[in-house]
Amino acid sequence: MSSVLTLRLAGPLQAWGVSARFTRRTTETAPTKSGVIGLLAAAQGLAREADLSALAVLRFAVRVDQPGRRIRDFQTAHHLDTGDSMPLSERFYLADAVFVAAVQGEPGLIADLFEAVRAPAYLPYLGRRSCPPSPPVEPAVQHDALLDQALAGEPWRAAEWYQHKRRDEATVSLSVLSEPGGDVPVGATGADSWRDQPLSFDPRHRRHALRTVVTSTVTVANPCARTPPPTRPRPTVPAHDPTGPLEGV
Amino acid sequence: MYLTRFRFNTARSDARRLLSSPQSMHAAVMSSFPQILPTAAPAPRVLWRTDRNASAEVLLFLVGPFRPDLTHLVEQAGWPAAAASGTPGWQTFHYAPFLDRLDKGGTWGFRLTANPVHSVRNVDGAPTKRTAHLTPRHQVQWLLQRQEAGGFKVLPKPEDKQLTDHGDEHQVIVTDQRGMDFGKQGAKGRVTIKAVTYDGRLEVTDPDALRSLLTSGLGKAKAYGCGLMTLAPLG
């Protein structure tokens, strides 16, 4: 049996890089497995060089509740002590995005992670140190559950203004990026591969492996949906012929 | 009295010129009465109204003391070829027999294009200014205030048919609100008129007063297509 831990990842800015290198720091449109596993490892207080194998085997999925907007920051900075200019860099962020990430694993480990996220050893951040989560990540554990069911049953976590914006839709379909359950090989048809399977967070030599990602959709209810007002009969203009009762000349 | 109906050929540019200019229409209407000279001081009242039932069905109704000759309108803005085949291009009806038959208690459908205005004083001590009623509620109120003197009563609406809680107690709707704005020769400023069309049902309470209203008009801006009420049998 397995349990599922769900996290709400929401903040003014998020940045989830997979292929970000050097001065161009890009972001994916959804949280990466390495980013979320790193958040959990930090909550547990693991050191950078620690063995990740227990966390890396967790099955991971993320639901896009509010896609947000990609924004670009052209960053210039000077060294605090020497005043030398730092390398000019382009940094991309997701603004106003909300995701629900979920990891599935052995119940004991999930319970430990749940406790760790509630009282984290190192504060969590959303992909980049400068991007704190705005509401608490609201961890929740579902016992005896599978990843897909847990994400499909989770209520819509988008901001109220965003739910209100789509008030004409009673239900909304959200895309879910998940690891396939079986042994789907990397590069299978209909699947993406992302290089975000963490092998080591050692700052001297970070290593990531390829991971298979399949996209599906789930439908959730919109709590802000409005019922259309009852249609009211419009007054119609009656035909008017004043010459009916008159006699011609 | 005579009531005349003329249909515009809206595909013609002259028809559009007339329909877009209340002043041109006034001139065209007045020149269809050879008996009324432009210089005649107290000219008998001539009332007119355009009914835009559809984009291709625009009718001119005319009520006056004489038989009009609309040949010039047919030539400019009607169907002259159709008129040559025996039909004159417009229809004139005797109005007096119908007016004489109006009885107290009779119910009719009515249509009225009018210029609902009231006079307001914006600053204490300043003279009042004539101001248009702009909301349908005020416009209906304007009509209801004049129904008693006009010899008619707008029929009440059954309570279950009322669309709003207040102000929808009568069988009348206001449609086709349009603004007119044109310069006038020899006058400073511009003429601005708000014309609205009422459609509804009424009951005759004072036949004489209603007769006078039907032939002499209601409200202001009678020269520019306002004030003519016509009655039609209830369908």
Side-chain angles (χ1 to χ4, degrees):
Chain A
M1 264 300 138
S2 63
S3 296
V4 175
L5 171 70
T6 55
L7 306 171
R8 180 190 179 188
L9 305 177
L13 293 177
Q14 314 190 17
W16 306 96
V18 167
S19 56
R21 292 285 180 273
F22 310 115
T23 57
R24 187 177 161 85
R25 315 301 298 191
T26 55
T27 175
E28 301 299 311
T29 52
T32 56
K33 183 174 182 180
S34 56
V36 176
I37 294 294
L39 187 151
L40 295 174
Q44 281 191 320
L46 292 188
R48 282 279 185 175
E49 298 84 359
D51 178 24
L52 279 178
S53 52
L55 295 176
V57 296
L58 294 171
R59 208 176 135 217
F60 174 75
V62 61
R63 191 178 76 181
V64 184
D65 281 35
Q66 183 178 333
R69 213 154 43 85
R70 197 181 66 145
I71 60 171
R72 172 179 170 273
D73 174 33
F74 181 69
Q75 181 173 320
T76 65
H78 289 262
H79 196 278
L80 206 60
D81 296 326
T82 64
D84 292 344
S85 64
M86 307 285 277
L88 297 176
S89 64
E90 253 186 311
R91 285 156 195 261
F92 291 87
Y93 300 87
L94 289 178
D96 266 342
V98 179
F99 304 98
V100 175
V103 288
Q104 175 191 326
E106 184 262 318
L109 174 61
I110 293 294
D112 287 349
L113 289 174
F114 175 67
E115 290 305 321
V117 173
R118 301 203 67 183
Y122 302 109
L123 289 178
Y125 52 85
L126 304 175
R128 190 172 290 156
R129 190 74 66 82
S130 60
C131 304
S134 55
V137 288
E138 277 183 28
V141 174
Q142 300 188 29
H143 297 290
D144 297 342
L146 290 174
L147 208 51
D148 309 304
Q149 298 161 355
L151 279 183
E154 188 81 356
W156 197 21
R157 297 285 188 191
E160 198 173 322
W161 65 264
Y162 188 77
Q163 294 179 347
H164 192 68
K165 206 170 141 188
R166 296 177 67 174
R167 60 188 176 275
D168 290 333
E169 302 164 59
T171 59
V172 289
S173 56
L174 310 172
S175 56
V176 172
L177 308 171
S178 58
E179 286 178 15
D183 266 342
V184 177
V186 169
T189 50
D192 276 340
S193 47
W194 289 22
R195 188 171 285 283
D196 66 344
Q197 171 71 40
L199 297 177
S200 163
F201 287 137
D202 188 334
R204 285 162 302 180
H205 188 47
R206 284 169 215 191
R207 283 181 299 132
H208 299 89
L210 280 175
R211 180 175 72 96
T212 309
V213 176
V214 290
T215 306
S216 56
T217 56
V218 296
T219 305
V220 296
N222 182 356
C224 281
R226 64 167 176 200
T227 49
T231 49
R232 192 179 256 185
R234 287 181 68 81
T236 49
V237 181
H240 184 86
D241 180 16
T243 63
L246 306 183
E247 46 194 284
V249 178
Chain B
M1 298 298 292
Y2 295 88
L3 186 144
T4 303
R5 178 178 63 192
F6 166 76
R7 185 173 165 205
F8 285 98
N9 180 355
T10 49
R12 301 184 64 171
S13 59
D14 272 335
R16 297 203 291 270
R17 177 182 61 80
L18 281 168
L19 288 171
S20 61
S21 163
Q23 248 185 332
S24 305
M25 189 76 90
H26 170 69
V29 164
M30 291 317 286
S31 58
S32 58
F33 291 93
Q35 300 89 339
I36 302 175
L37 294 175
T39 50
R45 191 78 247 179
V46 172
L47 299 169
W48 60 273
R49 183 182 83 206
T50 51
D51 276 11
R52 291 150 206 253
N53 298 330
S55 58
E57 193 193 351
V58 180
L59 301 168
L60 170 70
F61 285 104
L62 206 55
V63 167
F66 310 109
R67 277 182 72 161
D69 184 342
L70 302 189
T71 312
H72 62 295
L73 269 178
V74 177
E75 283 171 356
Q76 288 174 41
W79 280 272
S85 64
T87 53
W90 71 90
Q91 293 86 41
T92 299
F93 303 88
H94 283 299
Y95 208 17
F98 168 74
L99 294 175
D100 292 338
R101 284 204 310 273
L102 280 180
D103 281 332
K104 187 174 178 178
T107 53
W108 298 89
F110 71 92
R111 182 173 285 182
L112 162 72
T113 295
N115 171 223
V117 292
H118 60 146
S119 288
V120 294
R121 196 188 308 278
N122 289 325
V123 183
D124 278 342
T128 57
K129 282 184 174 179
R130 192 184 289 175
T131 307
H133 285 300
L134 291 180
T135 68
R137 193 173 163 180
H138 286 112
Q139 289 157 354
V140 167
Q141 206 60 45
W142 176 90
L143 180 67
L144 295 178
Q145 282 163 4
R146 279 151 185 82
Q147 58 181 357
E148 201 183 336
F152 65 95
K153 191 180 90 185
V154 179
L155 290 175
K157 205 176 205 179
E159 209 158 295
D160 56 323
K161 293 273 179 62
Q162 295 180 8
L163 297 179
T164 51
D165 292 342
H166 301 286
D168 194 33
E169 292 99 6
H170 296 89
Q171 296 193 38
V172 60
I173 56 172
V174 179
T175 57
D176 196 22
Q177 178 171 162
R178 52 182 198 275
M180 297 182 257
D181 181 354
F182 51 91
K184 193 173 166 183
Q185 209 177 6
K188 273 204 284 181
R190 297 176 70 75
V191 181
T192 55
I193 294 167
K194 181 73 72 178
V196 301
T197 301
Y198 299 90
D199 263 288
R201 295 175 168 193
L202 61 77
E203 183 190 328
V204 182
T205 56
D206 181 352
D208 285 330
L210 187 58
R211 254 175 235 130
S212 136
L213 188 149
L214 291 176
T215 51
S216 60
L218 177 64
K220 309 290 183 189
K222 296 192 187 81
Y224 299 121
C226 295
L228 172 58
M229 179 191 274
T230 52
L231 303 182
L234 286 177

Coordinates of all heavy atoms in Angstrom, one line a residue, chain A residues 210-239:
Chain A
L210 N 17.2 11.3 -16.9 CA 15.9 11.6 -17.6 C 14.8 10.9 -16.9 O 14.9 9.8 -16.3 CB 16.1 11.0 -19.0 CG 16.9 11.9 -20.0 CD1 17.0 11.1 -21.3 CD2 16.1 13.1 -20.3
R211 N 13.6 11.5 -17.1 CA 12.4 11.0 -16.4 C 11.3 11.1 -17.5 O 11.2 12.0 -18.2 CB 12.1 11.9 -15.2 CG 10.9 11.5 -14.4 CD 10.8 12.3 -13.2 NE 10.4 13.7 -13.5 CZ 9.2 14.2 -13.5 NH1 8.2 13.4 -13.1 NH2 8.9 15.4 -13.8
T212 N 10.4 10.1 -17.5 CA 9.3 10.1 -18.4 C 8.1 10.9 -17.8 O 7.8 10.7 -16.6 CB 8.8 8.7 -18.7 OG1 10.0 7.9 -19.1 CG2 7.8 8.6 -19.9
V213 N 7.5 11.7 -18.6 CA 6.4 12.5 -18.1 C 5.2 12.4 -19.1 O 5.4 12.6 -20.3 CB 6.8 14.0 -18.0 CG1 5.6 14.9 -17.7 CG2 7.9 14.2 -17.0
V214 N 4.1 12.0 -18.6 CA 2.9 11.9 -19.5 C 1.9 13.0 -19.0 O 1.8 13.3 -17.8 CB 2.2 10.5 -19.5 CG1 3.1 9.5 -20.2 CG2 1.9 10.1 -18.1
T215 N 1.2 13.6 -20.0 CA 0.2 14.6 -19.7 C -1.2 14.1 -19.8 O -1.5 13.4 -20.8 CB 0.4 15.8 -20.7 OG1 1.8 16.2 -20.7 CG2 -0.4 17.0 -20.3
S216 N -2.0 14.3 -18.8 CA -3.4 14.0 -18.9 C -4.2 15.1 -18.3 O -3.6 16.1 -17.9 CB -3.6 12.7 -18.1 OG -3.2 12.9 -16.8
T217 N -5.5 15.0 -18.3 CA -6.3 16.1 -17.8 C -7.3 15.5 -16.7 O -7.7 14.4 -16.9 CB -7.1 16.8 -18.8 OG1 -7.9 15.9 -19.5 CG2 -6.2 17.6 -19.8
V218 N -7.6 16.3 -15.7 CA -8.6 15.9 -14.8 C -9.6 17.1 -14.8 O -9.3 18.2 -15.1 CB -8.1 15.7 -13.3 CG1 -7.1 14.5 -13.3 CG2 -7.4 16.9 -12.8
T219 N -10.8 16.8 -14.4 CA -11.9 17.8 -14.4 C -12.3 18.0 -12.9 O -12.6 17.0 -12.2 CB -13.1 17.3 -15.2 OG1 -12.6 17.0 -16.5 CG2 -14.2 18.4 -15.3
V220 N -12.3 19.2 -12.5 CA -12.7 19.6 -11.1 C -13.7 20.6 -11.2 O -13.9 21.3 -12.2 CB -11.5 20.1 -10.3 CG1 -10.4 19.0 -10.1 CG2 -10.9 21.3 -10.9
A221 N -14.5 20.7 -10.1 CA -15.6 21.7 -10.0 C -15.0 23.1 -9.7 O -14.0 23.2 -9.0 CB -16.6 21.3 -8.9
N222 N -15.7 24.1 -10.2 CA -15.3 25.5 -10.0 C -16.2 26.0 -8.9 O -17.4 26.2 -9.1 CB -15.5 26.3 -11.3 CG -15.1 27.7 -11.1 OD1 -14.7 28.2 -10.0 ND2 -15.1 28.5 -12.2
P223 N -15.6 26.3 -7.7 CA -16.5 26.8 -6.6 C -17.1 28.2 -6.8 O -18.0 28.5 -6.2 CB -15.5 26.8 -5.4 CG -14.2 26.8 -5.9 CD -14.2 26.1 -7.3
C224 N -16.4 28.9 -7.7 CA -17.0 30.3 -8.0 C -17.9 30.3 -9.2 O -18.3 31.4 -9.6 CB -15.8 31.2 -8.3 SG -15.0 31.8 -6.8
A225 N -18.3 29.1 -9.7 CA -19.2 29.1 -10.9 C -20.5 29.8 -10.5 O -21.0 29.5 -9.4 CB -19.4 27.7 -11.4
R226 N -21.0 30.5 -11.4 CA -22.3 31.2 -11.1 C -23.4 30.5 -12.0 O -23.1 30.1 -13.1 CB -22.3 32.6 -11.4 CG -22.1 32.9 -12.9 CD -22.3 34.4 -13.2 NE -22.0 34.6 -14.6 CZ -21.7 35.7 -15.1 NH1 -21.7 36.8 -14.4 NH2 -21.4 35.9 -16.4
T227 N -24.6 30.4 -11.4 CA -25.7 29.9 -12.3 C -26.2 31.0 -13.1 O -26.3 32.1 -12.6 CB -26.8 29.3 -11.4 OG1 -27.0 30.3 -10.4 CG2 -26.3 28.0 -10.7
P228 N -26.4 30.8 -14.4 CA -26.9 31.9 -15.2 C -28.3 32.3 -14.7 O -29.1 31.5 -14.2 CB -27.0 31.2 -16.6 CG -27.1 29.8 -16.4 CD -26.3 29.5 -15.1
P229 N -28.5 33.6 -14.7 CA -29.8 34.1 -14.3 C -31.0 33.6 -15.1 O -30.7 33.4 -16.3 CB -29.7 35.6 -14.4 CG -28.6 35.8 -15.4 CD -27.7 34.7 -15.3
P230 N -32.1 33.4 -14.6 CA -33.2 32.9 -15.4 C -33.6 33.9 -16.5 O -33.5 35.1 -16.3 CB -34.4 32.8 -14.4 CG -34.0 33.7 -13.3 CD -32.6 33.7 -13.2
T231 N -33.8 33.4 -17.7 CA -34.0 34.3 -18.8 C -35.4 34.8 -18.7 O -36.4 34.1 -18.3 CB -33.9 33.5 -20.2 OG1 -34.6 32.3 -20.1 CG2 -32.4 33.2 -20.5
R232 N -35.5 36.1 -19.0 CA -36.7 36.8 -18.8 C -37.3 37.2 -20.2 O -36.5 37.5 -21.1 CB -36.3 38.1 -18.1 CG -37.3 38.9 -17.5 CD -36.6 40.1 -16.8 NE -36.5 40.0 -15.4 CZ -36.1 40.9 -14.6 NH1 -35.5 42.0 -15.1 NH2 -36.1 40.8 -13.3
P233 N -38.6 37.0 -20.4 CA -39.1 37.3 -21.7 C -38.9 38.8 -22.0 O -39.1 39.7 -21.2 CB -40.6 37.0 -21.6 CG -40.9 37.1 -20.1 CD -39.7 36.7 -19.4
R234 N -38.3 39.1 -23.2 CA -38.1 40.4 -23.6 C -39.4 41.0 -24.1 O -40.1 40.3 -24.8 CB -37.0 40.5 -24.7 CG -35.6 40.3 -24.2 CD -34.7 40.4 -25.4 NE -34.6 41.8 -25.8 CZ -33.9 42.7 -25.2 NH1 -33.2 42.4 -24.2 NH2 -33.8 44.0 -25.7
P235 N -39.7 42.2 -23.8 CA -41.0 42.8 -24.4 C -40.8 42.9 -25.9 O -39.8 43.4 -26.4 CB -41.1 44.2 -23.7 CG -39.7 44.5 -23.2 CD -39.0 43.2 -23.0
T236 N -41.8 42.5 -26.6 CA -41.7 42.6 -28.1 C -42.6 43.8 -28.5 O -43.6 44.1 -27.9 CB -42.2 41.3 -28.7 OG1 -43.5 41.0 -28.1 CG2 -41.3 40.2 -28.6
V237 N -42.1 44.4 -29.6 CA -42.9 45.5 -30.1 C -44.0 45.0 -30.9 O -43.8 44.2 -31.9 CB -42.0 46.4 -31.0 CG1 -42.7 47.6 -31.5 CG2 -40.8 46.9 -30.1
P238 N -45.3 45.3 -30.6 CA -46.4 44.8 -31.4 C -46.4 45.5 -32.7 O -46.0 46.6 -32.9 CB -47.6 45.1 -30.5 CG -47.2 46.3 -29.7 CD -45.7 46.1 -29.4
A239 N -46.9 44.8 -33.7 CA -47.1 45.4 -35.0 C -48.2 46.5 -34.9 O -49.1 46.4 -34.1 CB -47.6 44.3 -36.0

